[in-house]
Amino acid sequence: MTTARSQTWFDHIKRVERSVWFQSFIISIIIIAALTVGAKTYPLPYSAELVINYLDSFITVFFLLEISLRFITHENKARFFKDPWNIFDTVIVIGSLVPISNTDMVLVARLLRVLRVLRLVSIIPDLRMLITALMKAIPKMGYIALLMFILFYIFGAAGSIFFGHVNNDLWGDIAISMLTLFRIATFEDWTDVMYETMEVYPLSWVYYVIFIFLTAFIFLNMMVGVVLEVMSRETMIEEQQSQEDHHEALVNQIAQLQEQVQALSDKLDRK
């Protein structure tokens, strides 16, 4: 009887923890936590600062209770910390327990309180999917970044050789030239740089056009294409997993109904 009652309470807690209204309440608390962090960057009267400190303490305790509740309702306790998002939330919550004043780690404590805003990512599934897709796209993006570095290096060396005497501040050596090329790639007053070299080399516009075409129109679009490809694949995997979970839930419901029908049939037979 006690075991059945405990199981009933456990199921009730699990339903509450996974309910839409509870998740929405958590999101609201995270937003309030972000607002309190932002408010502390302004000069505030003592009364307002006191209220914010009490509110910060309440938020810290709430997050501790929420992560504890999530751990309690998790089906497999051993696998709880195998999820990177659970580890991230736990680190943020434990770090928030560090007192924010009168300690040598005051800056770390404040930083962890700022990072509490990132818990929105772990709470909202769509944001979680975006971050997961971005992390999986990083290896392929790394190869594209390597190609871009090679391109910057070649054009930087050429720019230093040809334009070094035009403007030593922009083309003095290969490091400065690569920094100038980054400025050009971001379209930050790049025409001023081009017109300056065109006064000495009228055909130097070819150098800039080729560089911008390769970086802005090819490599950056390749970056976007890699991210979109990974996001599409992750969306398909998530939809497939959702269908499998739905199918498994239906199978379990059918099995439970069959057990109930069999139990009723056995009772009728005994009567």
Side-chain angles (χ1 to χ4, degrees), residues 30-210:
I30 294 174
I31 293 174
I32 293 174
L35 294 176
T36 58
V37 172
K40 287 184 178 180
T41 61
Y42 294 94
L44 299 172
Y46 175 77
S47 57
E49 188 173 350
L50 188 64
V51 171
I52 290 178
N53 289 334
Y54 280 122
L55 187 60
D56 182 78
S57 299
F58 165 76
I59 292 170
T60 301
V61 173
F62 174 81
F63 282 159
L64 180 61
L65 293 176
E66 185 266 334
I67 198 70
S68 302
L69 183 64
R70 198 194 307 175
F71 177 76
I72 292 171
T73 57
H74 199 272
E75 290 81 1
N76 191 338
K77 304 295 188 297
R79 297 183 57 186
F80 180 80
F81 291 107
K82 291 184 178 181
D83 188 346
W85 293 112
N86 291 335
I87 296 175
F88 173 78
D89 289 343
T90 304
V91 170
I92 295 299
V93 171
I94 294 176
S96 299
L97 298 176
V98 178
I100 201 168
S101 60
N102 300 324
T103 63
D104 294 333
M105 299 184 64
V106 59
L107 295 179
V108 177
R110 289 178 177 175
L111 177 61
L112 288 172
R113 278 166 168 76
V114 173
L115 292 179
R116 288 190 304 195
V117 182
L118 288 176
R119 291 205 60 205
L120 279 173
V121 177
S122 63
I123 294 296
I124 301 176
D126 290 339
L127 291 179
R128 204 161 54 230
M129 186 196 70
L130 288 175
I131 296 299
T132 301
L134 181 61
M135 296 299 292
K136 290 185 177 181
I138 285 178
K140 292 184 178 180
M141 293 172 63
Y143 290 112
I144 300 175
L146 179 60
L147 286 175
M148 289 186 67
F149 175 80
I150 294 173
L151 180 71
F152 270 73
Y153 191 87
I154 294 173
F155 274 79
S160 181
I161 293 171
F162 289 107
F163 309 139
H165 65 282
V166 177
N167 189 331
N168 190 66
D169 293 334
L170 296 179
W171 307 99
D173 54 49
I174 191 169
I176 297 176
S177 297
M178 292 176 68
L179 187 60
T180 302
L181 289 174
F182 184 80
R183 168 184 171 181
I184 295 170
T186 56
F187 301 109
E188 177 63 28
D189 293 332
W190 71 276
T191 53
D192 296 338
V193 180
M194 181 182 67
Y195 292 145
E196 185 180 39
T197 58
M198 285 180 63
E199 292 178 359
V200 180
Y201 299 103
L203 294 179
S204 63
W205 61 268
V206 178
Y207 171 89
Y208 298 96
V209 170
I210 294 175

Side-chain angles (χ1 to χ4, degrees), residues 125-126 128-130 231-245:
D126 290 339
R128 204 161 54 230
M129 186 196 70
L130 288 175
M231 286 181 59
S232 300
R233 187 165 62 247
E234 286 297 311
T235 302
M236 292 177 60
I237 293 174
E238 185 176 356
E239 290 178 353
Q240 184 178 0
Q241 184 64 38
S242 177
Q243 292 176 359
E244 291 177 355
D245 293 341

